[in-house]
Amino acid sequence: EAGVTQFPSHSVIEKGQTVTLRCDPISGHDNLYWYRRVMGKEIKFLLHFVKESKQDESGMPNNRFLAERTGGTYSTLKVQPAELEDSGVYFCASSQTGGYTFGSGTRLTVV
Amino acid sequence: GNSVTQMEGPVTLSEEAFLTINCTYTATGYPSLFWYVQYPGEGLQLLLKATKADDKGSNKGFEATYRKETTSFHLEKGSVQVSDSAVYFCALRGSATDSWGKLQFGAGTQVVVTP
């Protein structure tokens, strides 16, 4: 079984630019989560999809962040425009019956 | 709201030393508790978990016991190896249905094991 795939693995962009992160969950997993770890602090919840619907987006920091999940399959997280404080590692996870599988993360650096 | 507090790192120790990473939590109801590990260059992996009070999770020589009376879930290993060098995260998942499975993490503790 393929795991959760995230790409790119690294991204370096300038302040003000747009970046789109992608997550491919395990096939058949209805639940998809986005988390991020900023500046070595705790990993914080961003949002949760159930299939293509946003179940909980209470962790999204502001309206510069837009998440979508096309047809309940892969998900994208767009940051537009990026700010310096958006730098960090963005993790995606999927689950079906409660057990999480995390991706390797995307390290985003905004300069 | 729910929260997790774990000891700050980095923790540096020699091979075969005893490792303890403290983790305490605040939560309503009966959360599930987890330890995740992130090895260099890799993603988060579940190390062990416990779903109710007094449960002991164990894996790869690591253990943690869910202590409701002290709201703790300390991670221990009796004899660490260089390959245990990683960042360890304590996490909880709330019991309320409106938590929808989201995890609350601690800040992570970097462990460095030297030969």
Side-chain angles (χ1 to χ4, degrees):
Chain A
E1 173 181 80
V4 176
T5 305
Q6 292 187 246
F7 47 95
S9 57
H10 294 82
S11 179
V12 180
I13 62 170
E14 293 184 352
K15 176 183 172 181
Q17 288 186 322
T18 297
V19 63
T20 300
L21 315 180
R22 173 166 167 152
C23 169
D24 285 49
I26 291 175
S27 177
H29 280 195
D30 289 340
N31 296 289
L32 187 150
Y33 303 83
W34 283 98
Y35 291 82
R36 73 172 179 177
R37 188 183 190 212
V38 174
M39 296 276 296
K41 297 185 178 178
E42 71 266 30
I43 299 170
K44 287 195 171 180
F45 168 82
L46 295 178
L47 87 159
H48 170 210
F49 285 99
V50 177
K51 296 184 180 179
E52 68 275 12
S53 299
K54 292 176 186 175
Q55 181 62 47
D56 180 355
E57 51 184 333
S58 61
M60 294 288 264
N62 52 61
N63 59 11
R64 295 185 293 103
F65 289 74
L66 174 64
E68 295 178 325
R69 189 177 182 193
T70 306
T73 57
Y74 70 91
S75 174
T76 58
L77 180 64
K78 180 169 25 176
V79 185
Q80 179 182 29
E83 298 290 343
L84 298 178
E85 64 264 25
D86 300 332
S87 296
V89 181
Y90 290 76
F91 292 102
C92 174
S94 71
S95 75
Q96 186 62 3
T97 56
Y100 267 60
T101 301
F102 278 88
S104 298
T106 295
R107 180 174 295 279
L108 174 65
T109 303
V110 183
V111 298
Chain B
N2 298 339
S3 68
V4 175
T5 303
Q6 63 181 103
M7 60 188 289
E8 292 186 18
V11 173
T12 303
L13 54 167
S14 300
E15 208 165 23
E16 298 183 4
F18 185 86
L19 170 69
T20 299
I21 304 176
N22 290 339
C23 172
T24 57
Y25 68 90
T26 57
T28 55
Y30 302 93
S32 296
L33 301 174
F34 306 85
W35 277 99
Y36 281 85
V37 59
Q38 185 180 21
Y39 298 104
E42 299 185 15
L44 287 167
Q45 301 175 26
L46 177 65
L47 181 59
L48 53 83
K49 68 178 181 181
T51 58
K52 61 183 189 296
D54 299 325
D55 267 2
K56 177 186 285 188
S58 61
N59 185 26
K60 300 182 180 181
F62 290 89
E63 292 183 341
T65 302
Y66 188 160
R67 301 284 189 201
K68 191 162 179 66
E69 64 276 14
T70 54
T71 62
S72 65
F73 193 54
H74 305 321
L75 183 68
E76 297 181 337
K77 186 173 184 180
S79 177
V80 293
Q81 305 300 312
V82 172
S83 57
D84 294 324
S85 297
V87 182
Y88 293 80
F89 295 91
C90 185
L92 72 79
R93 186 174 67 214
S95 59
T97 54
D98 62 2
S99 75
W100 284 96
K102 70 184 181 186
L103 294 170
Q104 183 79 37
F105 285 91
T109 302
Q110 183 176 8
V111 173
V112 178
V113 181
T114 58

